[in-house]
Amino acid sequence: MAEVKNKQVVLKDYVSGFPKESDLNIIDSTITLKIPQGSNDVLLVKNLYLSCDPYMRNLMNKPQDSLSSRAFTPQSPLGGYGVSKVLESGHKDYKEGDLVYGVTKWEEYSLIPAAQVIFKIEHTDVPLSYYTGILGTPGLTAYAGFFELGTPKKGENVFVSAASGAVGQLVGQFAKLHGCYVVGSAGTKEKVDLLKNKFGYDEAFNYKEEPDLDAALKRYFPEGIDIYFENVGGKTLDAVLLNMRIHGRIPVCGMISQYNLTQHEGITNLAHIIYKRIRIQGFIVADFHHLYAKFWEFILPHVREGKAVYLEDIAEGLEKGPAALVGIFSGQNVGKQVLVVARE
């Protein structure tokens, strides 16, 4: 079997502070399109759609500085969630032509352990790219964080930060479907308009235009917040604590405002957790992989009927990978950032 070119996006070296495009390289490697003999439980896949996610920033740190056990290795391809097509399978559950979603590498072709596949894609009447978003990790994150940890009741007040992102745009829609009042924050006028006009938020504001976040939250939530879906941390979390209602819930999904800081911001209003009996719970989506079937049963009819909308920011070609990934840390993306490697 002849070798073919295999373009890759690799990490040059460990990153400190805000990542730059120059921290990543595009290189041409080669791969033999054949599973090595004796490699059972391995899949050879062609990568189609890759997901650009904020958690990947933490994996660029030195291992001792990373909160994850799977930090990236310099001079090796990045890894992340993606949609891939099976070219050859060493595992009985997969065959040539299957479409799968799981953890793959940022390259055209990958050899991956079958254990890294999260699920086989069965529903192909919806855009395949949706499996990097509304039907994949971000969708399940929004669903599990809001319903399982937020335990919403009809009529409750919900606040979502980073509300136009891959997860936030869905949390707001789920809250409205459940009969809640929901407000979101974002970083541009364009995103604020999207929240109100496309994603159905009751209200939204640009946090960059609010010199006093506490006052802004009191304006939108005069009676306080029941559920805060936490995506950013820092000053926003500190202001939210002042405005939570008794027995409020805060599912903690991410803290993107802190990922690029060498010195993290402190939180000063923690005493409110005690007196308001606030429940704060961090989670990662892997905690809830067992809910995928239940989640699809809930979300697929809404997608097919247009009752759940999803906005993607598409970057075409692996060479656009560094700009696409780095851009999410300064809010360049509008909606879910997807990197297209190939469309079939």
Side-chain angles (χ1 to χ4, degrees), residues 2 4 18 20 55 67 71 97 113 135 144 158 166 185 203 223 227 232 246 252 279 322 338:
V4 297
F18 272 84
K20 308 178 295 296
Y55 80 87
L67 296 172
L135 299 178
V158 178
S185 64
E203 294 289 350
E223 298 177 356
I227 301 171
V232 302
I246 290 175
V252 182
R279 188 178 77 231
V338 182

Side-chain angles (χ1 to χ4, degrees), residues 152-167:
K153 302 178 188 68
K154 186 176 179 179
E156 286 194 314
N157 297 332
V158 178
F159 177 51
V160 185
S161 56
S164 68
V167 174

Side-chain angles (χ1 to χ4, degrees), residues 196-322:
K196 292 195 285 189
N197 301 325
K198 189 176 180 72
F199 302 134
Y201 275 71
D202 292 296
E203 294 289 350
F205 64 90
N206 183 347
Y207 67 89
K208 294 177 182 176
E209 295 177 349
E210 298 291 346
D212 185 339
L213 283 173
D214 175 35
L217 292 172
K218 283 181 167 56
R219 189 165 75 241
Y220 290 105
F221 296 101
E223 298 177 356
I225 299 166
D226 294 294
I227 301 171
Y228 169 46
F229 199 98
E230 168 67 299
N231 287 309
V232 302
K235 295 180 180 67
T236 301
L237 175 58
D238 222 10
V240 165
L241 289 171
L242 295 171
N243 290 277
M244 291 298 292
R245 299 180 75 177
I246 290 175
H247 297 300
R249 289 84 73 200
I250 304 180
V252 182
C253 172
M255 292 196 172
I256 195 169
S257 74
Q258 306 302 296
Y259 295 161
N260 299 302
L261 302 182
T262 51
Q263 183 66 46
H264 292 175
E265 294 173 327
I267 305 296
T268 62
N269 295 318
L270 291 173
H272 286 259
I273 298 170
I274 304 166
Y275 301 114
K276 294 175 180 173
R277 284 84 89 196
I278 299 168
R279 188 178 77 231
I280 300 179
Q281 186 170 345
F283 72 102
I284 59 172
V285 70
D287 299 339
F288 296 101
H289 279 174
H290 62 284
L291 293 181
Y292 261 120
K294 181 182 176 185
F295 166 59
W296 289 327
E297 192 177 328
F298 163 78
I299 193 64
L300 276 167
H302 291 305
V303 172
R304 289 173 178 140
E305 294 164 22
K307 291 179 181 174
V309 296
Y310 200 64
L311 184 62
E312 297 177 309
D313 194 323
I314 300 288
E316 290 274 356
L318 266 177
E319 61 280 358
K320 297 285 182 62

Side-chain angles (χ1 to χ4, degrees), residues 99 121-131 134-135 296 299-306:
L99 294 165
I121 294 173
E122 306 285 0
H123 304 281
T124 55
D125 60 324
V126 291
L128 272 183
S129 58
Y130 274 19
Y131 286 96
I134 188 171
L135 299 178
W296 289 327
I299 193 64
L300 276 167
H302 291 305
V303 172
R304 289 173 178 140
E305 294 164 22

